[in-house]
């Protein structure tokens, strides 16, 4: 810790390496992170990161199992293998690692490495949410919104989105804004919708910026303001949301008439 605070990267690597060789899983995991990210003045090497994560995971260090699962899911340093990723996420999830449960749920929801199973996904999202993984709460809310794997329940969805949004999860805030805009599970309230879209936008969720821009363009819940709408569409476009780029052009066409 002292070396970390002082920025003594070489010493930090030596400390982690010694800890790992002494059988401490945390040392293997921390050294694996350095190799995976190419930080601490070590050259990025997914192959070395994989070896270190595997060693830590074999010693039941759940974060290492999760990180190793990510590498298999993304095909970094190894051949992409969703089934292997799922097994590693499962091991992390069994140790109450919420992110592991959520990512395993995503594999079941998307049918990657497993037969698509929304019910199983909902159970995993539920466990993730209970472990305060906010993305898990948001994903479970989406299943309740769509009625996939669970009975459709907009009110339940709104509660889950609210929990996610309270923790500044952009997707949760945006989805909650949508429910208020549509009046699903909650009383229709464009002003509240705008406030949730704004939170989503502020934390960097491009779709939230786009949806807030639409409200400004239409004057719903906020005073109509084409310039504000334009700026928000552009912000969303700059973040890579193609529909926002189209909306910038559309708005420019309308306002120039």
């Amino acid at each position: 810790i002292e070396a970390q605070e002082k920025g003594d990267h070489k010493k930090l690597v030596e400390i982690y390496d010694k800890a790992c060789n002494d059988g401490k899983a945390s040392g293997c995991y921390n050294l694996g992170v350095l190799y995976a990210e190419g930080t601490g003045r070590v050259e990025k090497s997914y192959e070395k990161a994989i070896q270190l994560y595997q060693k830590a995971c074999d010693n039941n260090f759940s974060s290492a199992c999760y990180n190793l699962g990510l590498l298999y899911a993304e095909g970094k340093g190894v051949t992409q293998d969703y089934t292997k990723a799922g097994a590693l996420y499962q091991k992390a999830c069994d140790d109450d690692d919420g992110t592991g449960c959520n990512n395993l749920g995503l594999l079941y929801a998307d049918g990657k490495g497993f037969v698509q199973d929304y019910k199983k996904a909902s159970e995993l999202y539920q466990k993730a949410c209970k472990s305060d993984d906010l993305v898990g709460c948001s994903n479970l809310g989406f299943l309740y919104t769509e009625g996939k794997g669970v009975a459709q329940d907009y009110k339940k969805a709104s509660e889950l989105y609210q929990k996610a949004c309270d923790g500044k999860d952009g997707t949760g805030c945006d989805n909650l804004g949508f429910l208020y805009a549509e009046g699903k599970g909650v009383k229709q309230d464009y002003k509240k919708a705008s406030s949730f879209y704004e939170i989503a936008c502020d934390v960097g969720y491009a779709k939230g910026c786009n949806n807030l821009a639409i409200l400004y363009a239409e004057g719903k819940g906020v005073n109509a303001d084409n310039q504000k709408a334009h700026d928000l569409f552009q912000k969303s476009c700059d973040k890579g949301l193609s529909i926002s780029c189209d909306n910038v052009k559309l708005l420019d066409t309308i306002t120039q008439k």
Side-chain angles (χ1 to χ4, degrees):
I1 294 172
E2 183 182 347
Q4 197 168 18
E5 288 176 348
K6 289 182 178 179
D8 189 342
H9 300 295
K10 186 179 179 181
K11 187 176 180 182
L12 192 61
V13 170
E14 289 174 356
I15 290 170
Y16 290 157
D17 188 50
K18 184 178 185 303
C20 182
N21 290 330
D22 288 345
K24 293 182 180 178
S26 59
C28 302
Y29 167 75
N30 286 326
L31 189 55
V33 171
L34 294 185
Y35 277 108
E37 297 178 348
T39 54
R41 292 183 183 174
V42 299
E43 186 175 347
K44 181 181 281 193
S45 172
Y46 289 122
E47 289 76 12
K48 286 184 180 179
I50 287 164
Q51 293 171 7
L52 290 159
Y53 286 152
Q54 186 67 65
K55 191 172 181 179
C57 181
D58 289 343
N59 282 290
N60 300 314
F61 199 83
S62 63
S63 294
C65 301
Y66 170 76
N67 282 11
L68 185 56
L70 278 179
L71 294 182
Y72 273 100
E74 296 171 0
K76 291 181 176 178
V78 290
T79 301
Q80 190 174 53
D81 188 334
Y82 290 117
T83 304
K84 178 70 174 176
L88 289 159
Y89 290 151
Q90 182 69 69
K91 190 168 183 180
C93 182
D94 289 343
D95 196 34
D96 293 325
D97 184 311
T99 51
C101 299
N102 175 68
N103 280 30
L104 182 57
L106 283 170
L107 293 183
Y108 274 103
D110 293 339
K112 291 180 176 179
F114 304 92
V115 175
Q116 191 174 53
D117 188 338
Y118 288 115
K119 187 174 186 298
K120 180 69 174 176
S122 72
E123 293 166 355
L124 288 160
Y125 291 153
Q126 178 72 43
K127 187 172 181 181
C129 187
K130 284 185 176 178
S131 296
D132 291 326
D133 182 83
L134 301 177
V135 178
C137 300
S138 186
N139 287 340
L140 182 58
F142 181 76
L143 293 187
Y144 274 105
T145 299
E146 298 295 312
K148 291 181 175 179
V150 291
Q152 191 173 54
D153 188 334
Y154 291 119
K155 187 175 186 299
K156 180 69 174 175
S158 71
E159 292 167 355
L160 288 159
Y161 290 150
Q162 183 70 68
K163 181 176 179 178
C165 187
D166 286 345
K168 297 296 187 288
D169 174 69
T171 307
C173 297
D174 180 67
N175 287 343
L176 184 56
F178 174 78
L179 292 185
Y180 273 103
E182 296 293 314
K184 291 182 175 180
V186 291
K187 186 178 178 181
Q188 190 176 51
D189 188 329
Y190 287 114
K191 187 176 181 181
K192 280 190 176 180
S194 71
S195 68
F196 288 120
Y197 288 151
E198 185 170 18
I199 296 170
C201 182
D202 287 346
V203 297
Y205 189 65
K207 194 177 173 185
C209 304
N210 181 77
N211 289 338
L212 181 58
I214 291 171
L215 294 186
Y216 273 105
E218 297 179 349
K220 290 180 176 179
V222 292
N223 293 325
D225 188 330
N226 285 332
Q227 184 59 53
K228 184 75 172 174
H230 180 281
D231 292 345
L232 286 162
F233 280 139
Q234 189 62 59
K235 182 176 181 179
S236 182
C237 176
D238 292 343
K239 289 181 180 294
L241 191 66
S242 60
I243 192 172
S244 295
C245 303
D246 294 336
N247 286 337
V248 170
K249 296 173 185 175
L250 179 62
L251 184 63
D252 285 345
T253 301
I254 294 170
T255 54
Q256 286 170 9
K257 284 183 178 179

